[in-house]
Each structure stands twice: as C-alpha cells, then as structure tokens.
mmCIF file of all heavy atoms in Angstrom:
data_model
loop_
_atom_site.group_PDB
_atom_site.id
_atom_site.type_symbol
_atom_site.label_atom_id
_atom_site.label_comp_id
_atom_site.label_asym_id
_atom_site.label_seq_id
_atom_site.Cartn_x
_atom_site.Cartn_y
_atom_site.Cartn_z
ATOM 1 N N ALA Q 771 10.704 13.504 -6.357
ATOM 2 C CA ALA Q 771 10.666 14.958 -6.169
ATOM 3 C C ALA Q 771 11.404 15.703 -7.270
ATOM 4 O O ALA Q 771 11.113 16.878 -7.535
ATOM 5 C CB ALA Q 771 11.266 15.316 -4.810
ATOM 6 N N VAL Q 772 12.335 15.052 -7.915
ATOM 7 C CA VAL Q 772 13.085 15.681 -9.006
ATOM 8 C C VAL Q 772 12.425 15.393 -10.356
ATOM 9 O O VAL Q 772 12.239 16.288 -11.179
ATOM 10 C CB VAL Q 772 14.544 15.201 -8.996
ATOM 11 C CG1 VAL Q 772 15.279 15.706 -10.237
ATOM 12 C CG2 VAL Q 772 15.254 15.667 -7.729
ATOM 13 N N GLN Q 773 12.059 14.131 -10.598
ATOM 14 C CA GLN Q 773 11.473 13.757 -11.882
ATOM 15 C C GLN Q 773 10.043 14.287 -12.027
ATOM 16 O O GLN Q 773 9.670 14.816 -13.057
ATOM 17 C CB GLN Q 773 11.480 12.226 -12.038
ATOM 18 C CG GLN Q 773 12.867 11.612 -11.967
ATOM 19 C CD GLN Q 773 13.782 12.085 -13.069
ATOM 20 O OE1 GLN Q 773 13.316 12.377 -14.183
ATOM 21 N NE2 GLN Q 773 15.077 12.139 -12.792
ATOM 22 N N LYS Q 774 9.214 14.086 -10.995
ATOM 23 C CA LYS Q 774 7.859 14.627 -10.874
ATOM 24 C C LYS Q 774 6.875 14.061 -11.899
ATOM 25 O O LYS Q 774 7.255 13.650 -12.995
ATOM 26 C CB LYS Q 774 7.855 16.160 -10.971
ATOM 27 C CG LYS Q 774 8.751 16.826 -9.952
ATOM 28 C CD LYS Q 774 8.724 18.329 -10.131
ATOM 29 C CE LYS Q 774 9.690 18.973 -9.146
ATOM 30 N NZ LYS Q 774 9.783 20.415 -9.361
ATOM 31 N N ARG Q 775 5.644 14.088 -11.507
ATOM 32 C CA ARG Q 775 4.566 13.826 -12.447
ATOM 33 C C ARG Q 775 4.393 15.072 -13.319
ATOM 34 O O ARG Q 775 4.509 16.208 -12.829
ATOM 35 C CB ARG Q 775 3.273 13.517 -11.689
ATOM 36 C CG ARG Q 775 2.070 13.266 -12.565
ATOM 37 C CD ARG Q 775 0.890 12.815 -11.735
ATOM 38 N NE ARG Q 775 1.058 11.443 -11.247
ATOM 39 C CZ ARG Q 775 0.226 10.846 -10.398
ATOM 40 N NH1 ARG Q 775 -0.820 11.507 -9.923
ATOM 41 N NH2 ARG Q 775 0.443 9.601 -10.029
ATOM 42 N N ALA Q 776 4.090 14.884 -14.592
ATOM 43 C CA ALA Q 776 4.035 16.003 -15.539
ATOM 44 C C ALA Q 776 3.062 17.092 -15.091
ATOM 45 O O ALA Q 776 3.323 18.295 -15.261
ATOM 46 C CB ALA Q 776 3.643 15.490 -16.922
ATOM 47 N N SER Q 777 1.940 16.686 -14.478
ATOM 48 C CA SER Q 777 0.931 17.664 -14.077
ATOM 49 C C SER Q 777 1.383 18.537 -12.912
ATOM 50 O O SER Q 777 0.771 19.571 -12.638
ATOM 51 C CB SER Q 777 -0.375 16.957 -13.708
ATOM 52 O OG SER Q 777 -0.150 15.958 -12.730
ATOM 53 N N PHE Q 778 2.471 18.138 -12.243
ATOM 54 C CA PHE Q 778 2.984 18.924 -11.118
ATOM 55 C C PHE Q 778 4.412 19.415 -11.374
ATOM 56 O O PHE Q 778 5.126 19.779 -10.442
ATOM 57 C CB PHE Q 778 2.961 18.095 -9.832
ATOM 58 C CG PHE Q 778 1.608 17.550 -9.463
ATOM 59 C CD1 PHE Q 778 1.419 16.194 -9.264
ATOM 60 C CD2 PHE Q 778 0.520 18.404 -9.320
ATOM 61 C CE1 PHE Q 778 0.184 15.689 -8.918
ATOM 62 C CE2 PHE Q 778 -0.729 17.907 -8.976
ATOM 63 C CZ PHE Q 778 -0.909 16.541 -8.778
ATOM 64 N N ALA Q 779 4.803 19.453 -12.619
ATOM 65 C CA ALA Q 779 6.189 19.789 -12.954
ATOM 66 C C ALA Q 779 6.584 21.201 -12.555
ATOM 67 O O ALA Q 779 7.771 21.492 -12.375
ATOM 68 C CB ALA Q 779 6.412 19.594 -14.454
ATOM 69 N N ASP Q 780 5.611 22.077 -12.384
ATOM 70 C CA ASP Q 780 5.908 23.472 -12.033
ATOM 71 C C ASP Q 780 5.934 23.698 -10.521
ATOM 72 O O ASP Q 780 6.081 24.836 -10.071
ATOM 73 C CB ASP Q 780 4.881 24.405 -12.666
ATOM 74 C CG ASP Q 780 3.451 24.122 -12.198
ATOM 75 O OD1 ASP Q 780 3.203 23.014 -11.660
ATOM 76 O OD2 ASP Q 780 2.583 24.998 -12.381
ATOM 77 N N GLN Q 781 5.805 22.626 -9.741
ATOM 78 C CA GLN Q 781 5.751 22.748 -8.283
ATOM 79 C C GLN Q 781 6.987 22.148 -7.618
ATOM 80 O O GLN Q 781 7.536 21.157 -8.114
ATOM 81 C CB GLN Q 781 4.529 22.005 -7.727
ATOM 82 C CG GLN Q 781 3.195 22.523 -8.171
ATOM 83 C CD GLN Q 781 2.060 21.758 -7.510
ATOM 84 O OE1 GLN Q 781 2.245 21.076 -6.509
ATOM 85 N NE2 GLN Q 781 0.869 21.888 -8.090
ATOM 86 N N PRO Q 782 7.395 22.707 -6.480
ATOM 87 C CA PRO Q 782 8.399 22.010 -5.671
ATOM 88 C C PRO Q 782 7.737 20.844 -4.952
ATOM 89 O O PRO Q 782 6.559 20.914 -4.593
ATOM 90 C CB PRO Q 782 8.863 23.075 -4.679
ATOM 91 C CG PRO Q 782 7.683 23.991 -4.538
ATOM 92 C CD PRO Q 782 6.971 23.982 -5.875
ATOM 93 N N TYR Q 783 8.474 19.759 -4.783
ATOM 94 C CA TYR Q 783 8.000 18.609 -4.022
ATOM 95 C C TYR Q 783 8.666 18.609 -2.648
ATOM 96 O O TYR Q 783 9.862 18.858 -2.526
ATOM 97 C CB TYR Q 783 8.380 17.306 -4.740
ATOM 98 C CG TYR Q 783 7.378 16.769 -5.726
ATOM 99 C CD1 TYR Q 783 6.803 17.578 -6.702
ATOM 100 C CD2 TYR Q 783 7.046 15.425 -5.712
ATOM 101 C CE1 TYR Q 783 5.916 17.059 -7.631
ATOM 102 C CE2 TYR Q 783 6.156 14.881 -6.632
ATOM 103 C CZ TYR Q 783 5.585 15.702 -7.601
ATOM 104 O OH TYR Q 783 4.716 15.180 -8.517
ATOM 105 N N TRP Q 784 7.880 18.282 -1.638
ATOM 106 C CA TRP Q 784 8.410 18.122 -0.281
ATOM 107 C C TRP Q 784 9.568 17.124 -0.278
ATOM 108 O O TRP Q 784 10.651 17.408 0.205
ATOM 109 C CB TRP Q 784 7.273 17.676 0.630
ATOM 110 C CG TRP Q 784 7.623 17.275 2.019
ATOM 111 C CD1 TRP Q 784 7.704 16.003 2.508
ATOM 112 C CD2 TRP Q 784 7.894 18.136 3.128
ATOM 113 N NE1 TRP Q 784 8.017 16.012 3.842
ATOM 114 C CE2 TRP Q 784 8.139 17.312 4.244
ATOM 115 C CE3 TRP Q 784 7.954 19.517 3.289
ATOM 116 C CZ2 TRP Q 784 8.441 17.825 5.509
ATOM 117 C CZ3 TRP Q 784 8.259 20.029 4.545
ATOM 118 C CH2 TRP Q 784 8.500 19.195 5.630
ATOM 119 N N GLY Q 785 9.336 15.910 -0.747
ATOM 120 C CA GLY Q 785 10.394 14.934 -0.947
ATOM 121 C C GLY Q 785 11.104 14.468 0.310
ATOM 122 O O GLY Q 785 12.256 14.021 0.240
ATOM 123 N N ARG Q 786 10.434 14.564 1.461
ATOM 124 C CA ARG Q 786 11.009 14.160 2.745
ATOM 125 C C ARG Q 786 10.012 13.273 3.498
ATOM 126 O O ARG Q 786 8.876 13.112 3.052
ATOM 127 C CB ARG Q 786 11.350 15.409 3.580
ATOM 128 C CG ARG Q 786 12.539 16.187 3.065
ATOM 129 C CD ARG Q 786 12.620 17.595 3.630
ATOM 130 N NE ARG Q 786 12.347 17.706 5.048
ATOM 131 C CZ ARG Q 786 11.993 18.846 5.662
ATOM 132 N NH1 ARG Q 786 11.873 19.979 4.960
ATOM 133 N NH2 ARG Q 786 11.761 18.878 6.954
ATOM 134 N N PRO Q 787 10.398 12.691 4.623
ATOM 135 C CA PRO Q 787 9.418 11.938 5.413
ATOM 136 C C PRO Q 787 8.277 12.841 5.872
ATOM 137 O O PRO Q 787 8.464 14.049 6.055
ATOM 138 C CB PRO Q 787 10.233 11.442 6.612
ATOM 139 C CG PRO Q 787 11.661 11.537 6.195
ATOM 140 C CD PRO Q 787 11.732 12.683 5.243
ATOM 141 N N ILE Q 788 7.108 12.232 6.085
ATOM 142 C CA ILE Q 788 5.925 12.987 6.488
ATOM 143 C C ILE Q 788 5.669 12.779 7.978
ATOM 144 O O ILE Q 788 5.378 11.655 8.411
ATOM 145 C CB ILE Q 788 4.684 12.542 5.696
ATOM 146 C CG1 ILE Q 788 4.961 12.565 4.191
ATOM 147 C CG2 ILE Q 788 3.495 13.417 6.046
ATOM 148 C CD1 ILE Q 788 5.193 13.930 3.618
ATOM 149 N N PRO Q 789 5.761 13.829 8.781
ATOM 150 C CA PRO Q 789 5.452 13.684 10.211
ATOM 151 C C PRO Q 789 3.959 13.562 10.447
ATOM 152 O O PRO Q 789 3.145 13.833 9.564
ATOM 153 C CB PRO Q 789 6.010 14.976 10.818
ATOM 154 C CG PRO Q 789 5.921 15.981 9.708
ATOM 155 C CD PRO Q 789 6.163 15.208 8.433
ATOM 156 N N GLY Q 790 3.593 13.150 11.660
ATOM 157 C CA GLY Q 790 2.189 13.172 12.037
ATOM 158 C C GLY Q 790 1.650 14.589 11.962
ATOM 159 O O GLY Q 790 2.388 15.568 12.090
ATOM 160 N N TRP Q 791 0.329 14.686 11.763
ATOM 161 C CA TRP Q 791 -0.274 16.008 11.573
ATOM 162 C C TRP Q 791 -1.675 16.027 12.176
ATOM 163 O O TRP Q 791 -2.425 15.055 12.086
ATOM 164 C CB TRP Q 791 -0.350 16.334 10.082
ATOM 165 C CG TRP Q 791 -1.029 17.638 9.786
ATOM 166 C CD1 TRP Q 791 -0.502 18.897 9.899
ATOM 167 C CD2 TRP Q 791 -2.385 17.820 9.363
ATOM 168 N NE1 TRP Q 791 -1.441 19.845 9.567
ATOM 169 C CE2 TRP Q 791 -2.603 19.211 9.239
ATOM 170 C CE3 TRP Q 791 -3.430 16.935 9.092
ATOM 171 C CZ2 TRP Q 791 -3.824 19.743 8.835
ATOM 172 C CZ3 TRP Q 791 -4.652 17.461 8.699
ATOM 173 C CH2 TRP Q 791 -4.840 18.844 8.562
ATOM 174 N N GLY Q 792 -2.017 17.163 12.797
ATOM 175 C CA GLY Q 792 -3.360 17.337 13.320
ATOM 176 C C GLY Q 792 -3.352 17.868 14.730
ATOM 177 O O GLY Q 792 -2.404 18.521 15.171
ATOM 178 N N ASP Q 793 -4.416 17.577 15.453
ATOM 179 C CA ASP Q 793 -4.591 18.039 16.821
ATOM 180 C C ASP Q 793 -3.516 17.424 17.716
ATOM 181 O O ASP Q 793 -3.305 16.208 17.675
ATOM 182 C CB ASP Q 793 -5.992 17.610 17.303
ATOM 183 C CG ASP Q 793 -6.440 18.332 18.563
ATOM 184 O OD1 ASP Q 793 -5.598 18.543 19.461
ATOM 185 O OD2 ASP Q 793 -7.635 18.661 18.662
ATOM 186 N N PRO Q 794 -2.811 18.217 18.541
ATOM 187 C CA PRO Q 794 -1.787 17.652 19.420
ATOM 188 C C PRO Q 794 -2.369 16.896 20.612
ATOM 189 O O PRO Q 794 -1.627 16.190 21.305
ATOM 190 C CB PRO Q 794 -1.002 18.886 19.885
ATOM 191 C CG PRO Q 794 -1.978 20.009 19.792
ATOM 192 C CD PRO Q 794 -2.847 19.690 18.611
ATOM 193 N N GLU Q 795 -3.682 17.035 20.854
ATOM 194 C CA GLU Q 795 -4.341 16.297 21.935
ATOM 195 C C GLU Q 795 -5.589 15.607 21.369
ATOM 196 O O GLU Q 795 -6.723 15.909 21.732
ATOM 197 C CB GLU Q 795 -4.709 17.233 23.083
ATOM 198 C CG GLU Q 795 -3.489 17.855 23.768
ATOM 199 C CD GLU Q 795 -3.863 18.714 24.945
ATOM 200 O OE1 GLU Q 795 -5.063 19.028 25.122
ATOM 201 O OE2 GLU Q 795 -2.961 19.071 25.712
ATOM 202 N N PRO Q 796 -5.387 14.653 20.477
ATOM 203 C CA PRO Q 796 -6.517 14.052 19.770
ATOM 204 C C PRO Q 796 -7.181 12.935 20.569
ATOM 205 O O PRO Q 796 -6.542 12.241 21.359
ATOM 206 C CB PRO Q 796 -5.866 13.479 18.517
ATOM 207 C CG PRO Q 796 -4.504 13.059 19.007
ATOM 208 C CD PRO Q 796 -4.100 14.099 20.021
ATOM 209 N N SER Q 797 -8.462 12.737 20.323
ATOM 210 C CA SER Q 797 -9.125 11.529 20.809
ATOM 211 C C SER Q 797 -9.119 10.450 19.726
ATOM 212 O O SER Q 797 -9.225 9.260 20.034
ATOM 213 C CB SER Q 797 -10.563 11.840 21.235
ATOM 214 O OG SER Q 797 -11.304 12.425 20.171
ATOM 215 N N LEU Q 798 -8.964 10.868 18.467
ATOM 216 C CA LEU Q 798 -8.929 9.947 17.331
ATOM 217 C C LEU Q 798 -7.589 10.031 16.621
ATOM 218 O O LEU Q 798 -7.091 11.130 16.352
ATOM 219 C CB LEU Q 798 -10.041 10.302 16.326
ATOM 220 C CG LEU Q 798 -9.971 9.630 14.949
ATOM 221 C CD1 LEU Q 798 -10.186 8.123 15.067
ATOM 222 C CD2 LEU Q 798 -10.992 10.252 14.002
ATOM 223 N N LEU Q 799 -7.016 8.872 16.312
ATOM 224 C CA LEU Q 799 -5.804 8.798 15.502
ATOM 225 C C LEU Q 799 -6.105 7.960 14.269
ATOM 226 O O LEU Q 799 -6.604 6.832 14.379
ATOM 227 C CB LEU Q 799 -4.662 8.167 16.288
ATOM 228 C CG LEU Q 799 -3.292 8.143 15.594
ATOM 229 C CD1 LEU Q 799 -2.735 9.563 15.448
ATOM 230 C CD2 LEU Q 799 -2.307 7.265 16.359
ATOM 231 N N VAL Q 800 -5.837 8.501 13.087
ATOM 232 C CA VAL Q 800 -6.005 7.783 11.823
ATOM 233 C C VAL Q 800 -4.635 7.282 11.383
ATOM 234 O O VAL Q 800 -3.689 8.066 11.266
ATOM 235 C CB VAL Q 800 -6.612 8.692 10.740
ATOM 236 C CG1 VAL Q 800 -6.795 7.919 9.436
ATOM 237 C CG2 VAL Q 800 -7.948 9.272 11.210
ATOM 238 N N VAL Q 801 -4.532 5.977 11.155
ATOM 239 C CA VAL Q 801 -3.249 5.358 10.810
ATOM 240 C C VAL Q 801 -3.339 4.742 9.418
ATOM 241 O O VAL Q 801 -4.226 3.929 9.150
ATOM 242 C CB VAL Q 801 -2.853 4.276 11.835
ATOM 243 C CG1 VAL Q 801 -1.552 3.593 11.425
ATOM 244 C CG2 VAL Q 801 -2.703 4.889 13.228
ATOM 245 N N GLY Q 802 -2.415 5.132 8.550
ATOM 246 C CA GLY Q 802 -2.365 4.583 7.200
ATOM 247 C C GLY Q 802 -1.047 3.910 6.908
ATOM 248 O O GLY Q 802 -0.199 3.735 7.794
ATOM 249 N N LEU Q 803 -0.855 3.550 5.651
ATOM 250 C CA LEU Q 803 0.328 2.820 5.225
ATOM 251 C C LEU Q 803 1.534 3.735 5.090
ATOM 252 O O LEU Q 803 2.496 3.649 5.873
ATOM 253 C CB LEU Q 803 0.036 2.113 3.897
ATOM 254 C CG LEU Q 803 1.227 1.567 3.089
ATOM 255 C CD1 LEU Q 803 2.029 0.575 3.905
ATOM 256 C CD2 LEU Q 803 0.740 0.936 1.795
ATOM 257 N N ALA Q 804 1.512 4.609 4.114
ATOM 258 C CA ALA Q 804 2.667 5.455 3.800
ATOM 259 C C ALA Q 804 2.201 6.592 2.899
ATOM 260 O O ALA Q 804 1.137 6.512 2.282
ATOM 261 C CB ALA Q 804 3.749 4.639 3.090
ATOM 262 N N PRO Q 805 2.991 7.667 2.786
ATOM 263 C CA PRO Q 805 2.623 8.760 1.882
ATOM 264 C C PRO Q 805 2.608 8.305 0.426
ATOM 265 O O PRO Q 805 3.359 7.406 0.028
ATOM 266 C CB PRO Q 805 3.733 9.798 2.106
ATOM 267 C CG PRO Q 805 4.386 9.418 3.384
ATOM 268 C CD PRO Q 805 4.242 7.938 3.508
ATOM 269 N N ALA Q 806 1.765 8.929 -0.367
ATOM 270 C CA ALA Q 806 1.753 8.679 -1.808
ATOM 271 C C ALA Q 806 2.875 9.478 -2.467
ATOM 272 O O ALA Q 806 3.179 10.602 -2.050
ATOM 273 C CB ALA Q 806 0.407 9.073 -2.403
ATOM 274 N N ALA Q 807 3.468 8.916 -3.510
ATOM 275 C CA ALA Q 807 4.621 9.546 -4.154
ATOM 276 C C ALA Q 807 4.306 10.947 -4.657
ATOM 277 O O ALA Q 807 5.126 11.868 -4.531
ATOM 278 C CB ALA Q 807 5.103 8.669 -5.304
ATOM 279 N N ASN Q 808 3.107 11.135 -5.237
ATOM 280 C CA ASN Q 808 2.719 12.444 -5.762
ATOM 281 C C ASN Q 808 1.621 13.094 -4.924
ATOM 282 O O ASN Q 808 1.020 14.084 -5.349
ATOM 283 C CB ASN Q 808 2.261 12.297 -7.212
ATOM 284 C CG ASN Q 808 3.388 11.844 -8.116
ATOM 285 O OD1 ASN Q 808 4.279 12.608 -8.452
ATOM 286 N ND2 ASN Q 808 3.368 10.559 -8.489
ATOM 287 N N GLY Q 809 1.377 12.543 -3.732
ATOM 288 C CA GLY Q 809 0.431 13.120 -2.785
ATOM 289 C C GLY Q 809 1.192 13.759 -1.644
ATOM 290 O O GLY Q 809 1.720 14.860 -1.763
ATOM 291 N N GLY Q 810 1.277 13.039 -0.515
ATOM 292 C CA GLY Q 810 1.988 13.577 0.633
ATOM 293 C C GLY Q 810 3.445 13.895 0.350
ATOM 294 O O GLY Q 810 3.993 14.875 0.867
ATOM 295 N N ASN Q 811 4.084 13.088 -0.483
ATOM 296 C CA ASN Q 811 5.487 13.340 -0.830
ATOM 297 C C ASN Q 811 5.656 14.648 -1.599
ATOM 298 O O ASN Q 811 6.720 15.261 -1.582
ATOM 299 C CB ASN Q 811 6.025 12.176 -1.658
ATOM 300 C CG ASN Q 811 7.519 12.254 -1.877
ATOM 301 O OD1 ASN Q 811 8.301 12.290 -0.928
ATOM 302 N ND2 ASN Q 811 7.939 12.278 -3.146
ATOM 303 N N ARG Q 812 4.583 15.100 -2.229
ATOM 304 C CA ARG Q 812 4.599 16.376 -2.949
ATOM 305 C C ARG Q 812 4.168 17.532 -2.047
ATOM 306 O O ARG Q 812 4.801 18.594 -2.038
ATOM 307 C CB ARG Q 812 3.667 16.295 -4.171
ATOM 308 C CG ARG Q 812 3.448 17.627 -4.894
ATOM 309 C CD ARG Q 812 2.576 17.432 -6.131
ATOM 310 N NE ARG Q 812 1.255 16.928 -5.811
ATOM 311 C CZ ARG Q 812 0.194 17.685 -5.520
ATOM 312 N NH1 ARG Q 812 0.317 19.011 -5.502
ATOM 313 N NH2 ARG Q 812 -0.976 17.135 -5.253
#
C-alpha cells in the first residue's frame, strides 16, 4: 500500500483485510484464495 505499483501511484490503497461483500441473504457464495496485492488490497 505504500510502495504501490507504478500505474496506481496516484491512488490510496486500502491496505487492510478484505471483508465479505455482496448480498446479506445470498443463495450463492463465491469463495476464493485471498485478495490480490494490487487488486482487492488496493
């Protein structure tokens, strides 16, 4: 979040854990590995 990828150097990065997101009463849950360093972490 501090060093950043050059293409995102002008943006603040979230830099924290990523909570679940979406419908609070879902019928479908999508489960993945972890946030990407310059994706969800940003």
Side-chain angles (χ1 to χ4, degrees):
V772 172
Q773 301 298 328
K774 304 179 183 175
R775 178 173 287 174
S777 54
F778 303 124
D780 60 342
Q781 297 183 17
Y783 270 49
W784 172 256
R786 288 163 43 200
I788 308 294
W791 177 78
D793 195 320
E795 296 183 348
S797 57
L798 168 66
L799 185 68
V800 181
V801 177
L803 165 58
N808 295 285
N811 189 58
R812 172 177 61 89

